[in-house]
Amino acid sequence: MDMTLIFTVATAATFIVVMLALIGIIIYQRWRIDDQNVFIERFIHQNEEQRKKMRKAGII
């Protein structure tokens, strides 16, 4: 076989694998950030509820 064809196919395959890996990493990181945002949102909501209770009790 011609060496340029082999080199071209190998380079294309490597490029595709690298791109798929990068896309996978981006999707995974986005999933982790969204998961952390849920916990932060829950914490903020609980904090607001506690402040309301403290205001009603006259602590603040």
Side-chain angles (χ1 to χ4, degrees):
M1 290 187 97
D2 192 354
M3 280 306 266
T4 56
L5 178 64
I6 294 171
F7 181 72
T8 304
V9 170
T11 304
T14 303
F15 179 75
I16 291 171
V17 168
V18 168
M19 292 305 291
L20 289 175
L22 289 174
I23 290 170
I25 290 169
I26 290 170
I27 291 171
Y28 175 72
Q29 289 298 325
R30 184 170 173 96
W31 172 74
R32 284 191 57 203
I33 289 170
D34 286 343
D35 193 38
Q36 289 174 353
N37 285 345
V38 168
F39 291 117
I40 292 170
E41 183 179 343
R42 187 179 303 152
F43 172 76
I44 291 171
H45 182 67
Q46 289 175 351
N47 192 10
E48 289 175 0
E49 288 179 359
Q50 288 179 353
R51 284 182 187 234
K52 288 178 185 177
K53 288 179 184 177
M54 291 173 70
R55 284 191 183 128
K56 285 181 182 178
I59 297 172
I60 295 181

